[in-house]
Amino acid sequence: MRRKEMKSALLAGRYQPFHLGHLSVAEDILQEPDVDKLIIGIGSAQYSHNEKNPFTADERERMIRRSLHPEKPYEMIKIDDTHDNSTWISHVEKSCPAFDIVYTGNPLVKQLFEGRGYEVRPPSLRYVISATDIRKMMMLGDEWKKHVPQGTVDVIDEIDGVRRVRETIVKYPRPILVTDLVINYNNHPEKSGIVLIKRKDEPFINFWALPGGHFMPGKELIETAAVREAKEETSLCIERTSLNLLGVYSEPGRDPRGNYVSIAYYTTPYGVRRGVLKAGDDAKEIGVFNREELPRLAFDHNNMLDDYFRMRDEDLNRSINEGRFLWR
Ligand code: NAD
């Protein structure tokens, strides 16, 4: 009878690193009279060696295992980010054993779990510190060790973690440069329109997107990268001289992987020299879409297409007014 009232609790976090605040929360949860099991979800599990996530999921698991020694059982589960809040909770549910309560002080996590009908409890705030503060202390050579349990100190010393944190925090972070392409294609047997590819990988897996990809600095021009990516992703050969600059897209957060800046180009049907549309290795599918049937695209690619169509409409109006016709 009593067993029936007992609950499993989930505490999800990044633990970059696992500190005394996290430890006190985990210990307090395990003291709760109605909780008989704790599941510690190690979030953002796919990330490491970057500014916000310097430590791997395995290293974080080791920090916790060596620091937390409760009487009641607990389990650790690694949970990847999905970068799509509408799918994250079901992804957590699939990754973890069943749980009844969620402990979190993170407003977004609270909102998502409450939206799914879970009871959400705030963690006790007995030790005021954040992992961001600890990483800053490591960077500045301040006394960080007093804010973390000995298990975390030991793991960080073993992996030379302070050096790693310092190497990942840079004063002027470099952007990652990519290029995207609006290809206006009219050789399709059924229709003409914009070439899109369906993404095979995260982020935005299964979303349609403009063809494009990473620029390789020191090896090519950005225009050459655009031509190369078009060939790799669509099999189309694009004339480099037919590339027109659409814009530079640098909105923070436009790509969940980091500070991505895209230099976007457009090309006319006459810029497509040859080739039959065929999805490349990075794409699940390829398609040609007219303006009226464009889907919701990955990243900020809908904005790019809005800019493209606006530019094309302006050109068309101008050329009609001037009595000439211009192809885009
Ligand atoms: P965190 O490591 O900062 O904190 C873990 C928990 O401990 C949080 O509930 C926090 O409120 C609590 N805490 C932190 N310091 C404390 C202190 N001093 N005293 C008491 N409690 C303290 O982790 P987080 O940012 O909350 O982790 C959420 C995870 O969920 C992240 O990995 C995030 O990426 C993931 N997430 C992913 C998606 C998605 O992919 N769509 C959406 C939402 C959240």
Side-chain angles (χ1 to χ4, degrees), residues 284-295:
K284 253 187 179 171
E285 256 181 77
I286 193 157
V288 176
F289 293 74
N290 62 41
R291 190 173 182 173
E292 290 69 39
E293 61 179 15
L294 286 167

Side-chain angles (χ1 to χ4, degrees), residues 15 67 98 126 132 141 144 170 181 194-195 200 218 236 247 250 263 276 278-279 301:
Y15 315 112
S67 307
R126 282 202 283 126
T132 309
W144 60 273
V170 282
L181 266 149
I194 305 298
V195 177
K200 214 177 188 176
L236 294 175
S250 59
I263 305 209
V276 177
K278 190 166 145 299
H301 290 186

Side-chain angles (χ1 to χ4, degrees), residues 11 18 22-28 30 38 40 61-76 149 151-152:
L11 174 66
F18 186 72
H22 294 135
L23 180 65
S24 67
V25 171
E27 286 173 342
D28 286 353
L30 286 157
L38 172 63
I40 300 186
E61 183 177 341
R62 269 177 13 233
M63 291 174 199
I64 299 170
R65 200 177 299 291
R66 293 208 208 164
S67 307
L68 182 61
H69 307 288
E71 282 168 17
K72 286 185 196 167
Y74 77 95
E75 195 174 335
M76 282 186 275
T152 297

Side-chain angles (χ1 to χ4, degrees), residues 11-16 19 21-22 24-25 42-44 79-85 88 103-106 108-109 112 123-131:
L11 174 66
R14 283 187 300 118
Y15 315 112
Q16 290 285 6
H19 56 60
H22 294 135
S24 67
V25 171
I42 302 180
S44 309
I79 306 170
D80 284 350
D81 285 349
T82 61
H83 300 297
D84 174 3
N85 292 339
W88 187 65
Y103 282 83
T104 183
N106 178 320
L108 172 64
V109 175
L112 295 177
S124 55
L125 198 59
R126 282 202 283 126
Y127 195 99
V128 181
I129 189 73
S130 77

